[in-house]
Amino acid sequence: MNPNFLQTPIAYLKGVGPNRADTLKSELGIETYRDLLHLFPNRYLDRTSYYKINQLQPSGADVQIVGKIIHLKTVEQKRGKRLVASFVDETGQMELVWFRGHKWIRENLKLNEPYVVFGRVSKYGSTFSMPHPEMELLRNHEQGLKIAMQPIYPSTEKLSGKGITNRVVSNMVQQLILESKGNFPEPLSRPILEELKLISKADALFNIHFPKNQELLAKAQFRLKFEELFFVQLQLISKKLLRKQKIKGMPFGEVGEHFTEFFENHLPFDLTDAQKRVIKEIRNDLGSNAQMNRLLQGDVGSGKTIVALMCMLLAIDNGFQACLMAPTEILATQHYNGLKELLQPMDLKIALLTGSTKKSERTLLHNQLENGNLNILVGTHALLEDKVQFKNLGLAIVDEQHRFGVAQRSKLWHKNNTPPHILVMTATPIPRTLAMSLYGDLDISVIDELPPGRKPIKTVHRFDGNRLKVFRFIKDEIAKGRQIYIVYPLIQESEAMDYKDLMDGYESIVRDFPQPEYQISIVHGQMKPADKDYEMERFLKGETQIMIATTVIEVGVNVPNASVMIIESAERFGLSQLHQLRGRVGRGAEQSFCILMTGNKLSEDAKTRLQTMVGTNDGFEIAEVDLKLRGPGDLMGTQQSGMLNLKIADIVKDNQILKTARYHAIQLLKNDPRLEKEENAPILRAFSKMMANKTIWNYIS
Ligand code: ADP
Ligand code: MG
């Protein structure tokens, strides 16, 4: 076969031509033979049985009938024209109906010739009717490939309107397979095929389109899903290996005085085993010759900050600077204050840079950074500005990395001649499957243990009608010396309304919690940063007992004495956001509570979210549910969802296949890193082609 056969523009396929090619391209993105071959059916219909018209039931099921059209007419109605054919077999008469594409149908349909029609029947009065049937002349049907299960392809209104029905698409694929003579190159190696008992590529392609039976369909699906995931993983893993070989990191060989001094004298608590393990993993990376790119996952409150600090000390001990970037000013400031306090007894310089840093301070800061007097810079994305130059940045840490885009991560790479080591930290647990697919080129560390003595947060769901009881509970907690958060949703599209909800809520709280007995803070996005900080400060110092806020407090804020989190309109929040919010409490030694307030009307998804929150405190478990509810695209934001543009595999449902594929990709590169072995030639050939054609998406680093 011509090696470029699959690259042939689709217009050349018999039965396609330039017009249909245009439609296929605009509607389904199909440009080449390959694209058509990889247009996989959504589902399959049983075409083994035929019905007689007098056997029809008004069940709405798809049926297949042999008969003739004896009459064709156009019926005009207020709602538009429809084309109606009288269709008969030896047992009775029914109607076939078209609302679109009349011209094409009139020109192509033959009267009084036997057809096989296929579609969904419904009953109008005493007559059965089948709208937009699949049609094929009986003699073609008998000559065609004997299909037990009819593939149903993705379609659009425009496609069927232009006569490119499912039958037509199926014929095109059939034609393509005939022309290819089933000669599809095998991209997997013999050992893999044998070990996993995979059917050949050619068999898989044939059976995914025209399955001979259920068993072969399942085998075809498994084989193609495996192949797709395998090559994605191969790309991710080879990229990671390449980076480790090619990009020299700055080896932090020394465990020097600062790290040791801090560890021995100033650590405010014993590290958990998980923290120790993660620090060791990071130290191994930093001590090697390769540049580190590590994702640190740890639930809210698991103690990522201290890990970050100790890594920064390693950088400093080896003569480098370090920076820590956080997504909001509040969080950056809090990190800065916390770190400064921890480092107090040591002779190190740390500074804060955010959007509201004054110009004079900035100039000073820039100088100190450039001449190396500053050891640690904490800040928001103000750090990324080109003006911010380091003398020798050795380690860049990004907190709550899901808030930043990949582009921002990559900007950090270029802060130095040699890229700094990069540690990204997230409290939004990413399910393992997703992490493997999205961050397969990163190393991953997990802190899967909370510091000792934490009591699990008690979470309950309350309807708005029970508000007075909830208020009473708040009063009891305040009487015990605790502090309370009350959070309102803020969703962009309805900002004005949300703002009103917040202010109404505020007023009713002020009424029920009168001064001077109760002091109340409020923080929201429309306030000036200085005012926000002032209110946060009051709450932090315990001068106010209630903090009313929008989700600005979602990330990172640490007030250990706050032990109650009330989330208003909880049904409007996503699971990961609810979990993040809940993580604001439970930071001290006291029993903490999270109360999810909702109206009475709840969608099924909302109920699942609430039940999940009430049922577990485990961020990974919550993330798995979230992934199932929302799908991978939504979960990671549109920015990253493009990377999950898989043709047949589904990283949630095909989790097990993903693991197998990843395992085999790792084994392969371990045993034959450059794919030089004869048995791996097919993989090398396919992989090089995919990379050249960018058939696999491009990751940005
Ligand atoms: P997160 O992972 O959410 O960023 P933090 O680093 O803010 O968590 O830590 C949460 C709280 O737990 C902080 O008050 C911190 O001082 C404390 N903490 C961290 N590690 C330990 C530990 N090993 N033992 C006791 N407390 C700890
Ligand atoms: Mg944190």
Side-chain angles (χ1 to χ4, degrees):
M1 187 175 69
N2 170 0
N4 293 324
F5 175 75
L6 289 177
Q7 312 290 6
T8 315
I10 196 70
Y12 292 100
L13 188 70
K14 198 173 145 207
V16 180
N19 284 340
R20 282 184 166 181
D22 281 350
T23 315
L24 286 172
K25 181 176 172 194
S26 65
E27 294 301 295
L28 295 174
I30 294 176
E31 298 185 52
T32 61
Y33 282 17
R34 173 196 302 283
D35 296 337
L36 180 63
L37 199 61
H38 290 94
L39 177 74
F40 297 132
N42 289 332
R43 60 199 173 100
Y44 303 83
L45 295 173
D46 185 359
R47 298 295 298 259
T48 47
S49 30
Y50 297 83
Y51 284 77
K52 297 291 179 204
I53 291 174
N54 70 356
Q55 295 173 326
L56 295 178
Q57 298 290 331
S59 65
D62 287 286
V63 295
Q64 184 170 240
I65 309 165
V66 181
K68 292 177 193 169
I69 294 174
I70 51 168
H71 182 69
L72 205 53
K73 68 178 180 217
T74 303
V75 180
E76 293 226 34
Q77 267 191 334
K78 254 192 246 136
R79 285 186 296 138
K81 282 188 207 171
R82 66 200 151 100
L83 186 64
V84 179
S86 303
F87 185 74
V88 300
D89 70 2
E90 66 277 15
T91 70
Q93 178 164 344
M94 64 180 289
E95 288 180 346
L96 311 176
V97 185
W98 293 268
F99 301 98
R100 305 174 297 273
H102 296 174
K103 183 165 175 286
W104 189 86
I105 293 158
R106 270 193 181 279
E107 282 167 10
N108 288 280
L109 272 191
K110 297 187 169 59
L111 291 187
N112 297 312
E113 292 234 24
Y115 271 99
V116 180
V117 301
F118 183 77
R120 186 159 299 181
V121 285
S122 34
K123 197 170 186 180
Y124 289 103
S126 59
T127 315
F128 281 97
S129 112
M130 185 185 283
H132 289 256
E134 292 288 337
M135 312 220 20
E136 190 176 29
L137 283 169
L138 182 61
R139 62 178 134 80
N140 293 348
H141 182 77
E142 284 169 341
Q143 281 161 8
L145 292 167
K146 279 285 159 278
I147 310 166
M149 284 191 285
Q150 148 117 33
I152 303 295
Y153 291 94
S155 183
T156 66
E157 197 148 305
K158 204 164 158 205
L159 275 175
S160 40
K162 293 213 167 183
I164 308 182
T165 58
N166 192 57
R167 162 59 51 199
V168 170
V169 175
S170 159
N171 283 341
M172 288 175 184
V173 177
Q174 193 172 316
Q175 178 64 26
L176 175 53
I177 289 182
L178 286 176
E179 277 184 34
S180 73
K181 302 194 178 61
N183 245 328
F184 299 111
E186 174 57 68
L188 293 178
S189 67
R190 189 126 290 285
I192 289 183
L193 288 171
E194 277 167 12
E195 188 179 337
L196 294 172
K197 298 196 172 62
L198 299 176
I199 60 174
S200 72
K201 175 82 175 201
D203 282 350
L205 283 174
F206 186 89
N207 279 287
I208 199 78
H209 290 290
F210 308 111
K212 291 201 179 110
N213 54 47
Q214 296 280 358
E215 196 193 339
L216 273 167
L217 174 60
K219 283 192 170 156
Q221 285 169 332
F222 181 81
R223 142 90 217 205
L224 293 171
K225 285 174 178 181
F226 174 85
E227 181 185 326
E228 181 168 47
L229 294 170
F230 174 79
F231 280 104
V232 170
Q233 289 300 320
L234 197 61
Q235 192 198 20
L236 287 169
I237 295 159
S238 63
K239 190 164 164 192
K240 180 155 104 182
L241 292 177
L242 211 73
R243 195 184 56 225
K244 288 198 169 163
Q245 286 160 8
K246 278 227 181 111
I247 304 177
K248 278 242 174 300
M250 295 158 280
F252 293 180
E254 301 285 312
V255 176
E257 66 175 305
H258 293 103
F259 185 92
T260 314
E261 190 194 332
F262 184 80
F263 187 75
E264 285 175 0
N265 303 324
H266 309 305
L267 204 57
F269 35 67
D270 290 336
L271 295 176
T272 62
D273 287 343
Q275 284 170 322
K276 284 185 204 154
R277 182 184 40 162
V278 166
I279 291 174
K280 207 185 238 167
E281 285 166 0
I282 295 172
R283 262 173 63 179
N284 277 342
D285 280 7
L286 297 177
S288 78
N289 281 316
Q291 184 248 358
M292 174 176 80
N293 248 306
R294 190 170 276 278
L295 175 69
L296 172 56
Q297 294 196 61
D299 220 334
V300 260
S302 61
K304 296 184 290 296
T305 315
I306 201 85
V307 172
L309 173 61
M310 297 194 66
C311 298
M312 293 197 280
L313 293 178
L314 277 174
I316 294 166
D317 281 345
N318 285 273
F320 291 95
Q321 292 166 302
C323 70
L324 170 60
M325 184 167 78
T328 65
E329 200 155 329
I330 292 182
L331 188 55
T333 308
Q334 193 163 342
H335 269 318
Y336 169 72
N337 290 333
L339 293 176
K340 204 167 82 173
E341 200 179 313
L342 285 166
L343 292 176
Q344 184 111 50
M346 294 169 57
D347 182 26
L348 289 174
K349 260 197 92 67
I350 174 169
L352 174 70
L353 176 67
T354 69
S356 42
T357 305
K358 293 205 190 66
K359 200 155 178 226
S360 53
E361 274 175 66
R362 243 172 219 264
T363 317
L364 188 68
L365 221 146
H366 287 175
N367 283 335
Q368 293 178 327
L369 269 184
E370 282 164 40
N371 64 28
N373 282 345
L374 198 60
N375 303 104
I376 296 176
L377 181 63
V378 179
T380 56
H381 25 261
L383 293 188
L384 296 172
E385 286 168 24
D386 292 334
K387 286 175 294 191
V388 181
Q389 293 290 333
F390 293 80
K391 179 166 182 229
N392 55 359
L393 180 65
L395 171 66
I397 300 180
V398 185
D399 197 15
E400 305 299 346
Q401 82 90 33
H402 65 290
R403 293 287 180 115
F404 294 101
V406 184
Q408 285 169 318
R409 183 165 29 122
S410 84
K411 256 194 156 171
L412 284 173
W413 275 62
H414 303 294
K415 280 277 167 196
N416 237 30
N417 289 334
T418 317
H421 295 292
I422 293 186
L423 179 68
V424 294
M425 308 197 293
T426 179
T428 304
I430 303 165
R432 265 192 69 72
T433 46
L434 206 54
M436 269 194 260
S437 312
L438 283 177
Y439 301 109
D441 62 332
L442 298 184
D443 293 302
I444 298 180
S445 288
V446 182
I447 304 185
D448 49 7
E449 181 187 354
L450 292 179
R454 296 273 169 83
K455 297 196 182 80
I457 301 161
K458 285 193 181 144
T459 303
V460 292
H461 168 209
R462 294 283 178 265
F463 290 106
D464 288 339
N466 285 323
R467 187 167 300 277
L468 288 181
K469 270 197 195 149
V470 173
F471 280 3
R472 229 171 295 139
F473 175 75
I474 298 179
K475 285 184 179 162
D476 289 347
E477 287 298 301
I478 292 177
K480 290 189 214 156
R482 307 285 115 74
Q483 287 167 285
I484 319 288
Y485 288 109
I486 305 179
V487 178
Y488 287 80
L490 196 117
I491 295 160
Q492 299 280 279
E493 304 101 69
S494 54
E495 205 170 320
M497 197 184 95
D498 289 332
Y499 183 65
K500 188 174 174 302
D501 282 355
L502 176 79
M503 293 322 282
D504 289 351
Y506 175 68
E507 274 160 28
S508 89
I509 302 280
V510 169
R511 241 178 288 124
D512 275 87
F513 295 83
Q515 287 191 350
E517 196 182 349
Y518 299 101
Q519 299 294 327
I520 300 173
S521 285
I522 179 165
V523 170
H524 57 77
Q526 305 195 346
M527 286 164 70
K528 291 204 194 84
D531 296 342
K532 264 194 255 182
D533 289 351
Y534 174 76
E535 286 298 324
M536 282 306 300
E537 204 57 38
R538 292 211 306 149
F539 188 65
L540 198 63
K541 286 190 197 140
E543 292 171 12
T544 59
Q545 295 94 26
I546 301 179
M547 162 62 74
I548 298 180
T550 53
T551 42
V552 286
I553 62 145
E554 181 191 341
V555 168
V557 174
N558 192 15
V559 182
N561 190 50
S563 65
V564 181
M565 166 62 67
I566 297 183
I567 304 177
E568 293 286 347
S569 305
E571 70 271 33
R572 291 174 62 192
F573 289 88
L575 260 180
S576 77
Q577 223 180 359
L578 289 173
H579 180 62
Q580 287 278 331
L581 285 170
R582 178 169 60 181
R584 297 306 105 220
V585 297
R587 304 193 145 221
E590 306 306 330
Q591 174 64 56
S592 290
F593 302 89
C594 174
I595 304 177
L596 307 167
M597 303 293 299
T598 73
N600 289 322
K601 249 175 77 185
L602 296 174
S603 69
E604 282 309 307
D605 275 10
K607 280 184 203 156
T608 308
R609 290 196 296 269
L610 295 165
Q611 276 160 11
T612 307
M613 287 296 292
V614 171
T616 180
N617 274 299
D618 180 338
F620 280 92
E621 209 176 312
I622 290 170
E624 294 287 351
V625 176
D626 206 18
L627 180 60
K628 284 190 185 118
L629 285 179
R630 290 201 288 162
D634 271 359
L635 200 58
M636 302 315 295
T638 43
Q639 190 182 31
Q640 281 152 332
S641 64
M643 296 183 184
L644 297 166
N645 229 335
L646 298 170
K647 286 226 178 319
I648 185 162
D650 174 326
I651 59 164
V652 181
K653 293 189 194 123
D654 301 321
N655 182 344
Q656 208 51 45
I657 308 181
L658 172 63
K659 283 185 192 153
T660 313
R662 185 170 174 84
Y663 170 81
H664 281 275
I666 291 172
Q667 288 305 313
L668 175 70
L669 289 172
K670 207 190 239 168
N671 297 327
D672 186 11
R674 314 173 109 232
L675 303 180
E676 288 164 330
K677 289 189 185 161
E678 180 56 33
E679 66 185 33
N680 293 326
I683 298 181
L684 179 63
R685 212 175 306 125
F687 191 47
S688 319
K689 214 166 182 176
M690 285 178 205
M691 300 295 270
N693 294 336
K694 304 215 163 77
T695 327
I696 305 189
W697 56 75
N698 260 333
Y699 275 78
I700 335 154
S701 258

